[in-house]
Amino acid sequence: MTAAITIKSLRKTFGALTVLHEVDLSIEPGQFVVLVGPSGCGKSTLLDCICGLSQPTAGSLHFDDQDVTNLPPRERDIAMVFQSYALYPSMTVRQNIEFGLKVRKMPKAERDKEVTRVATLLKIEHLLDRRPSQMSGGQRQRVAMGRAMARRPRIFLFDEPLSNLDAKLRVEMRHEIKRMHQLVRTTTIYVTHDQVEALSLADVIVVMKEGHIQQVGTPQEIYDKPANTFVASFMGSPPMNLIPARMKRRDGVAGAELLPAGGLPNWIKLQEPAKPIADGEELIIGIRPEEFHFTSERPLLDGDVAELTLPINVLEPLGSEYVFTSTVNGAEVSARLNAKSGPHPDGDTLQVLFEPRRVCLFDPGTSNRL
Amino acid sequence: MRSLGKLKTLLLLGMALPAVAMSQARAADVEVLHWWTSGGEAAAIGVLKEQLAEQGVGWTDFAVAGGAGSSALTVLKSRILAGNPPTAAQMLAQAVREWGQEGLLTTLDEVAAENDWDGILPEAIQNIAKFDGSYVAVPVNIHRSNYIWSNSKVLAEHGLSIPTTWDEVFAVGEALRKAGVVPIAHGGQPWQEAMLFENILISVDGGPETYRRLFVERDATAVENPAFAEALDIFRRLKSLMDPNFAGRDWNLATGMVITGEAAMQFMGDNAKGEFVAANLKPGVDYACTPLPNTQDDFLFYTDSFAMFEATNEESKKAQQIMAKTILEPIFQEAFNLRKGSIPVNQKVSLEKFDSCALNSREGLEAAAAQNTLMPSFAISMAVPPAVEGAMFDALTNYFNNDSVTVDEVKAGFVNALRQ
Amino acid sequence: MPFANSNKGVAATAATSLPASTNRYLGWSERWLPKLSLFPTLLVSGTAIYVFIVWTGVLSFTGSRMLPRYNFVGFDSYRAMFATERFGVAATNIVIYASLYIAISLALGLLLAILLDQKVRGEGLLRMIFLFPMSLSLIVTGVVWRWIFNPGLGLEKFAYDMGFVDFKLDWIINPSLAIYTLVIAAIWQSSGFVMVLMLAGLRGVDGSIIRAAQIDGASMPYIYWKIVLPLLAPVIFSATVILGHLAIKNFDLVVAMTNGGPGYATDMPATFMYAYSFERSQIAVGAASSIIMLGVATLLLVPYLYIQIRRGR
Ligand SMILES: Nc1ncnc2c1ncn2[C@@H]1O[C@H](COP(=O)(O)OP(=O)(O)O)[C@@H](O)[C@H]1O
Ligand SMILES: [Mg+2]
């Protein structure tokens, strides 16, 4: 019913252009894996290789123990939902859902049962006799999902299924997809370039860039411990602040100086990086915007707490929070503060707190995590 | 009617503009519609132009090539509908009849009387130049339809001579075919097939009489004469002596096959002679013109003629008369017919400059006139109205090209055609 | 936003809102000038088309022969026309010709379009090559194919010279097969055009639909048959209408290729009309055949117009 996927050294080239470089990935049965990455990084190409619409240039692909590298799509027992829904325009919803079953020569009675089951599940019973052109985007998306589910495939593939929907529907459908997955527990690979979708849906997130996998991990791992500055800045909104600095130990304790624009240098303690770094060497300090706090939140914070007075460049009150930008060590820094914890900041500067242990360090040369 | 005609003129402005320009020509000019545009023909019409110029009559050429005159006819109709006819137009006999019926032609009786046309034209030809007993057209030449054109060298090479009976035709043809020569060059167009048939018809026993009844008197019962069926039989059998590629072939291409020796013979009127002349071949030496078997003293003729449209002013009328007179004068008759390959229609013109084929034609003409077998060619629109002719062509060409068509079907077709 | 950055947008909106609200503020000339300036065109095309249709219709009920005459004789010329065997041949021929020509051109054009849609190299060049015949005049096409089919010049001779002495291709001189040579030549001429239409249609089909069907397990032929073809219905419909009217109008090709022969085995309504009106001095019969052609063409066009009008609403 549901399968593990093992991708080994998969490479895909179009002529001189290498779109996927040596991709290795293992997915456990029933996992919901989200592939994220900027547009053009090869996500769809990887999906195409998995579903068999496209032949890998090198490498292998297994579903459980079965080598499917050279199988045509119809023998792979997978289903896919497309960004454009890809419903068959000349067929009704019922015919769309049945199509795969009919091709597989399932008897009519069973087909009807299956259509009913899927339609009930997705609440589209009333749409069965409509044609795709007579439905809204959200309804079409449901039908597309229904069509994929009707065949009870061992793997679901989604290629940016929600990109054509408006923000509200997107949230709704996101929940729907999550609900369906929890219901059927079929291995799913879901492609998106939207990091919120990725974080909210995934058991495992795979971050890709230019045909290379950057990091594989749970949403929390990806969020808290990005493998490099690319992952750090790609996941999270606003992205993680990356501040250039130099290692400056005090009494053997690792630390660095932060200099807010127009303010005074401020030494903060850092965790000793795994890789030894000499004093005076450059590094990049990564702080998520939401790690900044009003001073009034001090009691909520553990251990060391660093304090900074930041000049305010732009301030946006967003109701539940304030977002403002500032400049530290010449880099733009943004901060999100809980609006309940402090008064509306009205001066030129604002005093904020953060926990140095929640700071990430990166190597400016390789941009990898230290 | 008239206003519609005017409207059409306006709409067909492209065509009307040159026409308007032409109608501005000097009063004593003649504007002549004709389809003599190929080399020899154009030279021949040039002679008439010169002759008229000497008498102070200007010439406005209105040549419309194509379709053996059918394009010219179409243009002529639109000119007539526009109320702007040319001074004169080249016409075949049946067209003269039709335009005469429309009452648009002017009588030439005065010039005819002055120049004794009754005395210089054969009677059969007077008949087609007249409508309601008045001359309305000037005949220019006489062509003979019932000729075989043969390549003398090819026949000599295979030790064969020109056939004089149908049995000989098939025997000679068979021998040629075995030798790899196309015995008969044929052009697969309805009129050429009709021409072949009409000549076969007058060559069989009782043929001339059947021909006269059928095509001159339009007596449909003549199809029951045995000659009709016999002619059809020979007609279809001749196909075995033709190459398979004749469909749609133009007559001059078929003549070309005889000239090059690819084929030995062609059954065609003496318009073919022009092609031999143009190829610098000598009659009696390189090629021969022989009447079809048994038709030495019979003569199916076709003539070109010019009909004159009713002119509105005296000067144009004068010009018309001068043109009519000039056409039948010996100088033009000789010059024109030498170039065209036909013989003079004016019987008083001497043939001393003409070749043996022309002499043969004149001889045949006199003999035929004497025994009343000088008859108009139906294949060249001399004998029956276009509607009848078309229906007859249909019947013949269908019979010739489709072996499943029976003689009775052709008879029925002819009977039907004569009802048109 | 659209108003702020686009003057054109503003102008267009203003213009479209004019007729309803501001018309009555316009002077007489503004209101009538457009109509007035269209008038000559309308008049000319109106007379050139409709007046002559009516005139032709009137003529078909007269006894006109060489020139139009207005002695009305009722349906005589229709009777005469249906009585000629030749009209029967022409009518049969147009049915054979039109149905084969349309069906095969569509099928071939579709097939070529599908093949060309498989991301082949040099697609632009191939498209040009296939479209090229359409740019030839039918006269040229007819002459070329006449040579090709001529047993003594074309393919048969070629095969003979190559040593295949038994190869026969004499359709063009065979009265019962000659019509098919016209069909072949006409298909050669238009299938590239159909291909381009179909290709445009195929390009409009969302590729992910085909991919979805592939994943659903359908074979490519099944996908094209069940999913793509229904999507091309509007294109096929337009192509059919275009081919249909080309078929009915067919005149030049016949004249150039067989001139109606052998005999009149390849006569068509258009050549029939021409022969009777202009060569045989039976204008009334020619007019009658024109009216019949017009009637048939109208019957074929009515569904098209109906759909166009419905779509326009
Ligand atoms: N069929 C193809 N031929 C050539 N290049 C392709 C093809 N398909 C995709 N590419 C290229 O591969 C790269 C990755 O594309 P894709 O996988 O669609 O990216 P995305 O991550 O946005 O889904 C892009 O640069 C794209 O141009
Ligand atoms: Mg993509």
Side-chain angles (χ1 to χ4, degrees):
Chain A
M1 202 70 259
T2 173
I5 303 173
T6 313
I7 302 169
K8 284 208 191 95
S9 308
L10 188 134
R11 209 149 52 80
K12 178 69 189 171
T13 58
F14 293 110
L17 175 74
T18 304
V19 177
L20 296 174
H21 308 258
E22 304 296 317
V23 171
D24 284 288
L25 187 63
S26 291
I27 297 170
E28 283 164 33
Q31 258 183 348
F32 196 113
V33 175
V34 175
L35 265 178
V36 283
S39 181
C41 71
K43 306 181 296 286
S44 298
T45 306
L46 183 56
L47 274 201
D48 282 358
C49 289
I50 294 172
C51 72
L53 286 173
S54 164
Q55 202 59 30
T57 312
S60 72
L61 177 68
H62 287 77
F63 293 169
D64 290 333
D65 295 330
Q66 184 192 9
D67 185 349
V68 298
T69 318
N70 295 311
L71 283 189
R74 64 171 167 279
E75 287 168 36
R76 294 194 182 194
D77 191 16
I78 45 183
M80 183 145 162
V81 175
F82 294 84
Q83 174 176 353
S84 61
Y85 321 126
L87 296 179
Y88 311 132
S90 49
M91 302 184 191
T92 62
V93 168
R94 175 185 297 280
Q95 289 165 329
N96 263 280
I97 295 176
E98 304 190 296
F99 185 78
L101 308 177
K102 223 166 164 174
V103 169
R104 285 180 167 68
K105 311 228 153 43
M106 185 189 273
K108 175 105 179 78
E110 276 178 63
R111 274 193 336 243
D112 286 346
K113 237 167 76 191
E114 194 61 23
V115 170
T116 313
R117 178 187 75 94
V118 168
T120 320
L121 212 61
L122 286 160
K123 308 190 189 82
I124 50 174
E125 300 101 314
H126 61 293
L127 300 174
L128 283 177
D129 292 323
R130 293 214 198 154
R131 276 172 212 283
S133 58
Q134 300 165 323
M135 295 187 297
S136 70
Q139 289 171 326
R140 285 184 220 186
Q141 191 57 65
R142 280 172 191 272
V143 174
M145 279 170 60
R147 186 175 65 184
M149 290 169 64
R151 289 201 350 252
R152 304 186 190 234
R154 52 180 169 171
I155 295 166
F156 275 127
L157 305 176
F158 289 83
D159 193 352
E160 312 209 14
L162 306 183
S163 303
N164 285 0
L165 300 179
D166 62 46
K168 195 163 154 264
L169 257 177
R170 199 145 50 193
V171 174
E172 189 188 316
M173 287 307 297
R174 204 166 74 201
H175 293 159
E176 194 70 7
I177 290 171
K178 189 144 197 169
R179 184 171 75 87
M180 288 301 137
H181 181 252
Q182 279 161 0
L183 217 64
V184 297
R185 287 281 167 209
T186 302
T187 313
T188 301
I189 302 182
Y190 183 106
V191 165
T192 180
H193 61 255
D194 177 343
Q195 41 94 20
V196 180
E197 261 172 47
L199 293 169
S200 66
L201 285 170
D203 294 327
V204 172
I205 292 179
V206 177
V207 185
M208 284 182 64
K209 179 193 171 193
E210 291 167 6
H212 292 278
I213 291 187
Q214 303 292 309
Q215 188 173 6
V216 180
T218 63
Q220 206 59 48
E221 280 165 2
I222 299 280
Y223 187 79
D224 289 340
K225 297 195 166 65
N228 52 38
T229 51
F230 171 76
V231 178
S233 55
F234 190 74
M235 302 298 290
S237 169
M240 182 180 269
N241 296 304
L242 297 173
I243 306 165
R246 284 175 194 283
M247 175 62 81
K248 189 172 184 180
R249 291 192 170 76
R250 275 191 188 169
D251 310 327
V253 178
E257 241 166 27
L258 294 182
L259 175 63
L264 296 170
N266 206 336
W267 186 88
I268 57 158
K269 192 179 152 190
L270 298 173
Q271 254 152 341
E272 190 63 51
K275 190 180 144 196
I277 287 201
D279 262 17
E281 254 187 81
E282 289 181 4
L283 43 70
I284 292 174
I285 295 174
I287 311 175
R288 294 235 171 249
E290 49 275 27
E291 293 297 338
F292 292 105
H293 302 278
F294 278 116
T295 46
S296 63
E297 286 176 332
R298 186 185 291 271
L300 303 172
L301 306 177
D302 293 343
D304 291 320
V305 174
E307 194 173 317
L308 272 179
T309 304
L310 295 177
I312 296 177
N313 296 348
V314 178
L315 178 104
E316 298 172 301
L318 295 177
S320 67
E321 57 193 18
Y322 299 115
V323 175
F324 77 94
T325 59
S326 181
T327 311
V328 177
N329 288 10
E332 169 129 314
V333 167
S334 58
R336 286 165 67 173
L337 301 170
N338 190 341
K340 290 201 193 79
S341 310
H344 187 279
D346 50 4
D348 289 344
T349 61
L350 184 68
Q351 203 166 29
V352 293
L353 306 177
F354 67 96
E355 294 170 281
R357 64 184 177 86
R358 299 194 63 89
V359 160
C360 301
L361 299 181
F362 300 97
D363 179 342
T366 64
S367 76
N368 285 338
R369 210 172 130 84
L370 287 169
Chain B
M1 178 50 238
R2 244 189 123 74
S3 67
L4 268 180
K6 286 225 174 85
L7 194 58
K8 200 169 173 188
T9 321
L10 269 177
L11 294 170
L12 303 175
L13 210 59
M15 195 197 287
L17 270 181
V20 169
M22 282 164 197
S23 67
Q24 306 294 315
R26 271 189 301 121
D29 279 4
V30 284
E31 189 196 353
V32 183
L33 175 79
H34 64 91
W35 60 87
W36 281 329
T37 50
S38 75
E41 295 169 341
I45 203 95
V47 175
L48 179 58
K49 198 169 151 181
E50 280 165 29
Q51 295 276 309
L52 287 179
E54 278 171 24
Q55 301 171 71
V57 176
W59 178 276
T60 309
D61 203 57
F62 186 8
V64 181
S70 67
S71 316
L73 180 62
T74 307
V75 174
L76 181 59
K77 277 187 212 168
S78 59
R79 284 285 296 271
I80 303 275
L81 287 175
N84 179 28
T87 323
Q90 183 188 351
M91 274 179 204
L92 295 172
Q94 285 304 314
V96 172
R97 193 114 285 129
E98 298 218 338
W99 289 111
Q101 274 163 8
E102 300 289 339
L104 291 165
L105 301 180
T106 188
T107 168
L108 299 169
D109 282 342
E110 217 174 300
V111 222
E114 263 171 41
N115 296 283
D116 188 26
W117 289 8
D118 286 346
I120 58 176
L121 299 177
E123 204 187 327
I125 289 176
Q126 292 171 28
N127 289 341
I128 62 157
K130 285 178 181 171
F131 181 75
D132 257 355
S134 288
Y135 281 103
V136 289
V138 205
V140 183
N141 55 0
I142 301 180
H143 279 293
R144 186 182 198 180
S145 172
N146 49 318
Y147 268 129
I148 298 175
W149 301 87
S150 54
N151 184 317
S152 310
K153 283 206 183 90
V154 170
L155 287 178
E157 244 170 58
H158 298 91
L160 300 166
S161 51
I162 300 163
T164 54
T165 67
W166 285 110
D167 288 341
E168 279 178 35
V169 169
F170 286 103
V172 167
E174 211 46 46
L176 287 164
R177 205 161 59 87
K178 292 218 175 83
V181 178
V182 175
I184 298 176
H186 174 64
Q189 295 171 339
W191 72 268
Q192 294 189 59
E193 275 149 23
M195 181 178 255
L196 180 57
F197 174 76
E198 69 181 8
N199 290 321
I200 298 171
L201 181 59
I202 60 163
S203 81
V204 300
D205 269 355
E209 189 244 16
T210 309
Y211 187 95
R212 174 169 296 284
R213 274 179 56 203
L214 202 50
F215 295 110
V216 182
E217 291 156 15
R218 292 186 215 162
D219 171 4
T221 60
V223 297
E224 296 306 339
N225 287 3
F228 190 76
E230 189 186 345
L232 281 176
D233 178 56
I234 295 172
F235 181 45
R236 187 182 268 168
R237 278 202 290 140
L238 280 180
K239 221 166 35 160
S240 66
L241 301 181
M242 298 168 180
D243 69 311
N245 308 327
F246 60 70
R249 182 186 285 150
D250 285 325
W251 67 270
N252 51 343
L253 297 184
T255 312
M257 290 169 69
V258 177
I259 290 174
T260 59
E262 185 187 343
M265 298 178 277
Q266 182 188 17
F267 288 65
M268 176 51 55
D270 56 12
N271 45 307
K273 195 171 79 182
E275 302 291 312
F276 287 98
V277 171
N280 278 322
L281 300 185
K282 296 267 162 310
V285 182
D286 304 305
Y287 68 97
C289 48
T290 322
L292 268 78
N294 200 23
T295 65
Q296 177 55 46
D297 296 335
D298 306 311
F299 196 115
L300 293 186
F301 71 88
Y302 47 101
T303 75
D304 294 293
S305 44
F306 282 102
M308 309 284 176
F309 288 92
E310 200 71 62
T312 44
N313 63 58
E314 281 310 309
E315 270 171 85
S316 292
K317 279 192 182 139
K318 188 87 198 111
Q320 285 177 334
Q321 310 256 323
I322 295 173
M323 180 175 163
K325 179 175 72 92
T326 310
I327 285 172
L328 283 175
E329 275 171 355
I331 297 185
F332 174 71
Q333 282 286 307
E334 184 183 274
F336 179 89
N337 284 297
L338 276 173
R339 287 178 170 80
K340 183 79 169 41
S342 41
I343 59 171
V345 67
N346 181 345
Q347 296 304 297
K348 299 286 182 281
V349 175
S350 137
L351 291 189
E352 75 190 276
K353 289 195 187 145
F354 286 74
D355 62 18
S356 57
C357 288
L359 295 175
N360 184 319
S361 280
R362 170 75 64 87
E363 230 173 79
L365 182 114
E366 279 161 4
Q371 61 169 21
N372 204 17
T373 56
L374 173 58
M375 294 181 288
S377 157
F378 115 89
I380 307 285
S381 304
M382 291 291 121
V384 291
V388 179
E389 173 194 301
M392 285 176 167
F393 279 12
D394 284 349
L396 284 174
T397 195
N398 202 24
Y399 171 81
F400 185 73
N401 286 289
N402 192 340
D403 287 345
S404 67
V405 177
T406 64
V407 169
D408 283 342
E409 286 174 72
V410 184
K411 287 182 184 170
F414 267 63
V415 171
N416 246 331
L418 283 167
R419 275 202 216 108
Q420 297 279 337
Chain C
M1 250 314 266
F3 289 101
N5 66 6
S6 157
N7 285 330
K8 229 163 107 196
V10 176
T13 319
T16 48
S17 67
L18 263 186
S21 56
T22 15
N23 224 358
R24 68 196 126 107
Y25 299 116
L26 293 176
W28 181 91
S29 61
E30 273 98 340
R31 240 182 305 151
W32 285 98
L33 213 57
K35 286 168 195 166
L36 216 61
S37 59
L38 271 180
F39 186 69
T41 323
L42 282 178
L43 187 74
V44 169
S45 53
T47 42
I49 297 169
Y50 297 103
V51 169
F52 285 113
I53 288 177
V54 171
W55 192 25
T56 305
V58 169
L59 284 179
S60 73
F61 293 104
T62 66
S64 303
R65 292 195 153 242
M66 186 172 69
L67 290 178
R69 258 195 229 148
Y70 298 90
N71 52 331
F72 289 91
V73 295
F75 284 92
D76 275 7
S77 51
Y78 289 88
R79 240 172 265 138
M81 178 181 72
F82 286 116
T84 61
E85 199 199 332
R86 185 166 165 163
F87 187 76
V89 170
T92 317
N93 277 342
I94 190 71
V95 171
I96 295 175
Y97 173 84
S99 49
L100 287 180
Y101 165 65
I102 295 174
I104 300 177
S105 293
L106 284 178
L108 206 61
L110 181 64
L111 189 72
L112 287 174
I114 289 174
L115 293 180
L116 213 55
D117 198 30
Q118 309 302 312
K119 305 208 174 81
V120 289
R121 221 171 272 162
E123 185 205 307
L125 184 70
L126 284 174
R127 210 169 41 196
M128 236 167 64
I129 290 173
F130 283 119
L131 193 56
F132 175 68
M134 193 72 181
S135 68
L136 288 180
S137 88
L138 279 165
I139 298 288
V140 177
T141 306
V143 170
V144 170
W145 280 93
R146 190 176 73 202
W147 289 337
I148 291 176
F149 279 114
N150 187 316
L153 292 173
L155 278 178
E156 184 175 313
K157 172 143 195 308
F158 182 72
Y160 187 90
D161 293 347
M162 300 278 292
F164 303 97
V165 289
D166 292 332
F167 179 81
K168 272 236 159 297
L169 183 69
D170 55 357
W171 290 15
I172 203 164
I173 58 170
N174 181 335
S176 49
L177 293 178
I179 182 72
Y180 300 104
T181 64
L182 288 173
V183 173
I184 290 170
I187 289 171
W188 175 82
Q189 215 203 18
S190 348
S191 48
F193 168 69
V194 177
M195 177 199 78
V196 171
L197 284 185
M198 297 282 191
L199 195 58
L202 284 177
R203 291 286 144 85
V205 174
D206 178 5
S208 52
I209 291 178
I210 295 173
R211 288 145 48 92
Q214 272 179 295
I215 295 173
D216 261 348
S219 63
M220 280 322 270
Y222 189 76
I223 294 173
Y224 273 107
W225 179 245
K226 279 285 187 187
I227 296 172
V228 178
L229 208 60
L231 287 180
L232 292 183
V235 180
I236 293 173
F237 191 75
S238 309
T240 308
V241 170
I242 294 171
L243 293 176
H245 102 272
L246 287 178
I248 292 175
K249 281 203 316 199
N250 179 17
F251 177 78
D252 347 21
L253 186 66
V254 183
V255 168
M257 206 166 147
T258 62
N259 205 5
Y264 52 84
T266 54
D267 204 23
M268 296 269 187
T271 49
F272 178 95
M273 186 281 292
Y274 183 81
Y276 276 76
S277 305
F278 302 113
E279 291 174 356
R280 297 192 172 180
S281 291
Q282 281 174 283
I283 284 185
V285 175
S289 68
S290 305
I291 293 297
I292 295 291
M293 273 163 72
L294 178 71
V296 173
T298 312
L299 280 183
L300 294 178
L301 272 177
V302 160
Y304 178 69
L305 291 177
Y306 176 72
I307 288 173
Q308 284 295 313
I309 289 167
R310 229 183 34 176
R311 210 182 274 162
R313 276 214 198 109

